[in-house]
Amino acid sequence: MITNKFFVRNEDDVVYRSLGDEAVLLHFKSGNYYTLNDVGILIWDVADGKCKVQDIIELIFQTFDVERDDVEHDVTIFLEELAAENLIVLSDTLSVSNGSTQDSSNS
């Protein structure tokens, strides 16, 4: 299930720029660019490999006036789309600061 996965930005191939209320992602290899709204920016900001999908669902639920089921559905779809476009990587393991991974059962 995706909610138990960690996610991390694909910083090798993607550049991010904040433009006030929205942000832009540019994928170097594909040449595609994407815009993010305030929720997308929040998700991108915590995509450091140390946050599980379920954690971002909870953060958005607490931050915005939305229904939990809607948040879970929308965040899951959004992250799956980002992963399909190679903008993020979903992983079963926790990323640590030196770029290695740690089994999430040890954390």
Side-chain angles (χ1 to χ4, degrees):
M1 176 174 251
I2 188 175
T3 57
N4 293 323
K5 293 191 178 283
F6 295 91
F7 59 103
V8 63
R9 296 177 289 266
N10 179 359
E11 293 180 333
D12 291 339
D13 297 331
V14 180
V15 66
Y16 167 86
R17 292 292 178 259
S18 177
L19 304 170
D21 292 352
E22 56 184 21
V24 175
L25 302 175
L26 172 63
H27 191 279
F28 290 125
K29 289 185 178 177
S30 70
N32 294 332
Y33 70 93
Y34 310 84
T35 57
L36 301 177
N37 63 15
D38 54 346
V39 177
I41 292 168
L42 177 63
I43 292 171
W44 188 259
D45 286 346
V46 298
D48 60 1
K50 297 174 186 161
C51 183
K52 285 189 175 184
V53 173
Q54 65 192 17
D55 299 330
I56 190 61
I57 290 169
E58 183 63 28
L59 177 62
I60 291 171
F61 176 71
Q62 295 296 327
T63 304
F64 298 94
D65 184 25
V66 290
E67 297 291 325
R68 183 177 294 279
D69 288 344
D70 293 339
V71 172
E72 187 167 343
H73 175 265
D74 293 348
V75 167
T76 299
I77 296 297
F78 180 65
L79 291 174
E80 287 173 342
E81 289 173 355
L82 291 178
E85 294 293 325
N86 239 359
L87 299 169
I88 63 165
V89 177
L90 293 167
S91 174
D92 292 326
T93 57
L94 171 70
S95 281
V96 291
S97 60
N98 65 3
S100 62
T101 57
Q102 175 180 326
D103 187 321
S104 62
S105 62
N106 293 334
S107 52

